[in-house]
Amino acid sequence: MTKRTDGPLVTVIAPVYNVERFLDYFLKTVTEQTYRNLEILLVNDGSPDASGDICRQWAQHDNRIIVVDKPNGGSASARNVAAQCARGEYLIFVDPDDWLESTMIETMVANALREDAQLSVIASWDEFDDGNRYSQFPLGEYSVMDSAAAFREINVGRLGVAMWNKLVRRDLFFTGDTGPIEPLFHFNEEWRGGEDVEASYWAIDAATTIVYDTQRLYHYRIRSDSLSESPHVSLSGALAAQKMLDLVNIKYPSSVPYAQYGYMKAVGGALNQWKRGATATEKEDRLLRKLETELRPFIRANFKKVRLALAQAGAPMPKERCIQFLALGWCTPAYTAMLRFYRWCRPGRTRRGAGI
């Protein structure tokens, strides 16, 4: 694609904290996008390393870059601050330790304009520290859907639960046209890591038209030292999935089995982290025990229905998921033993939000 200087303004939002090793390459891939009409908001979230200085150096050479400095409050806080400053007709929330293919934003905008979509989604690669990569997204798919279909797709793993592969039209996020207006959605600042999962569910519910393109144009870096790979258990995905399931039960009955599957995966993923030694506060420990107690009868009541729905949708439940849910629902000692074996076989190779 040739470089485009026309088209609607797109605001690229990145919360910046302790990413000095990756920031130059990230910014290179953002500033070299073939889509040129960008506003790039970098929120220095009180980073103690040289990240803030690197941002300011880039801003001196590219007038599309705006640096916002704030005390450390977490990535959700940084995203909320940036969202209120954003002027773009479209917004995208990306992570500054990742990188973008040069045509990513142009592809997403073109798809959104073609379909008059409020939400434009592309596919991604997971990039591991050892040089390996993985993508759960099949190639060669392009589809337009409503919210009910999107809740089916996101819960069977076809849309991804993060926000960094989703371009959001401004009227989905704000009540006004431009300028600092109170947004309709806030990233949850009580959660440290994974707060964009709730945002993805919110965006799907709020949108009337979603376009999905499986070109793998975003590279998500799996870091052993990142917040999403932290030894501390992350409950944000499980809690967001609870809210999502309640919403789907009320508004999108045809998507309920898929939402149940997403809920089982998210809670199972949090329990897996916990059982494999991730730390938790006393409050989180109590909540995890409650989630485990609630999940067991839930799996027993819904496992067969969910498995049948997935098969009918052309996304059969993977064997390892079947084993995980059967063990969680009917044989806890087997589940615990299975996790110990898995940890021994595959140390340090868990994707964000993954189950077993």
Side-chain angles (χ1 to χ4, degrees):
M1 293 185 182
T2 58
K3 291 187 176 182
R4 287 191 54 178
T5 56
D6 60 338
L9 180 66
V10 174
T11 298
V12 180
I13 293 173
V16 176
Y17 184 81
N18 276 6
V19 287
E20 61 182 4
R21 288 186 295 156
F22 312 107
L23 195 51
D24 278 323
Y25 188 65
F26 163 76
L27 287 170
K28 181 178 185 293
T29 67
V30 174
T31 57
E32 292 182 356
Q33 287 292 298
T34 56
Y35 192 88
R36 307 301 293 168
N37 194 16
L38 302 178
E39 173 187 60
I40 304 165
L41 294 182
L42 306 176
V43 184
N44 177 28
D45 190 37
S47 185
D49 69 357
S51 294
D53 292 334
I54 295 171
C55 290
R56 284 183 284 273
Q57 289 168 9
W58 275 85
Q60 290 176 359
H61 300 288
D62 193 321
N63 61 11
R64 298 174 299 171
I65 296 176
I66 301 169
V67 181
V68 179
D69 292 295
K70 63 179 287 294
N72 180 250
S75 58
S77 170
R79 289 183 174 113
N80 286 333
V81 167
Q84 296 204 41
C85 302
R87 298 181 299 112
E89 186 176 337
Y90 292 89
L91 289 76
I92 186 166
F93 300 86
V94 293
D95 290 345
D97 50 354
D98 300 334
W99 69 95
L100 289 58
E101 291 291 326
S102 64
T103 58
M104 187 184 103
I105 293 177
E106 182 170 358
T107 299
M108 298 177 85
V109 172
N111 291 346
L113 293 175
R114 182 186 306 112
E115 310 299 346
D116 192 24
Q118 293 169 303
L119 191 63
S120 179
V121 186
I122 47 89
S124 63
W125 284 103
D126 288 346
E127 304 282 355
F128 293 95
D129 285 341
D130 59 9
N132 288 315
R133 58 163 45 174
Y134 166 81
S135 182
Q136 68 185 26
F137 302 97
L139 286 170
E141 293 186 6
Y142 181 93
S143 56
V144 181
M145 64 193 78
D146 60 11
S147 297
F151 273 115
R152 179 186 68 234
E153 296 297 294
I154 196 170
N155 282 298
V156 301
R158 290 181 182 147
L159 295 183
V161 295
M163 279 295 283
W164 33 251
N165 68 333
K166 298 174 179 67
L167 183 79
V168 182
R169 202 166 74 188
R170 185 182 186 85
D171 62 358
L172 199 68
F173 210 86
F174 295 95
T175 55
D177 295 327
T178 59
I181 303 166
E182 186 68 16
L184 301 173
F185 174 84
H186 287 272
F187 289 90
N188 192 329
E189 297 183 20
E190 294 181 3
W191 296 347
R192 288 297 185 106
E195 68 279 348
D196 54 344
V197 176
E198 183 181 31
S200 288
Y201 294 145
W202 161 81
I204 286 173
D205 176 48
T208 54
T209 304
I210 299 110
V211 58
Y212 173 46
D213 186 336
T214 61
Q215 294 185 68
R216 298 165 180 170
L217 302 177
Y218 189 91
H219 298 265
Y220 171 64
R221 194 187 300 270
I222 306 286
R223 290 168 47 200
S224 57
D225 63 337
S226 73
L227 191 59
S228 61
E229 299 298 314
S230 168
H232 190 89
V233 68
S234 174
L235 280 165
S236 56
L239 297 176
Q242 279 188 320
K243 292 182 180 181
M244 177 273 299
L245 179 57
D246 290 341
L247 171 72
V248 172
N249 272 321
I250 295 169
K251 295 181 66 175
Y252 309 105
S254 65
S255 300
V256 166
Y258 312 103
Q260 290 173 331
Y261 181 52
Y263 168 75
M264 289 160 57
K265 287 193 296 181
V267 176
L271 293 175
N272 286 356
Q273 286 184 312
W274 184 47
K275 296 282 188 180
R276 284 159 47 193
T279 59
T281 64
E282 185 177 338
K283 180 180 178 181
E284 290 168 337
D285 192 78
R286 289 196 301 270
L287 181 54
L288 284 158
R289 294 184 190 280
K290 180 174 181 290
L291 287 171
E292 184 177 23
T293 300
E294 292 173 348
L295 185 62
R296 193 172 297 120
F298 185 90
I299 290 174
R300 290 175 179 175
N302 296 291
F303 176 79
K304 289 183 179 179
K305 177 179 67 175
V306 168
R307 191 178 182 189
L308 177 61
L310 293 174
Q312 291 174 341
M317 187 183 295
K319 289 182 180 179
E320 61 269 24
R321 288 287 186 197
C322 291
I323 295 169
Q324 176 196 16
F325 294 147
L326 289 170
L328 259 172
W330 283 274
C331 189
T332 302
Y335 168 66
T336 303
M338 180 173 59
L339 282 180
R340 288 174 180 165
F341 177 74
Y342 180 82
R343 186 180 184 184
W344 176 76
C345 289
R346 299 182 67 194
R349 287 296 297 274
T350 303
R351 297 182 65 251
R352 178 171 65 180
I356 187 166

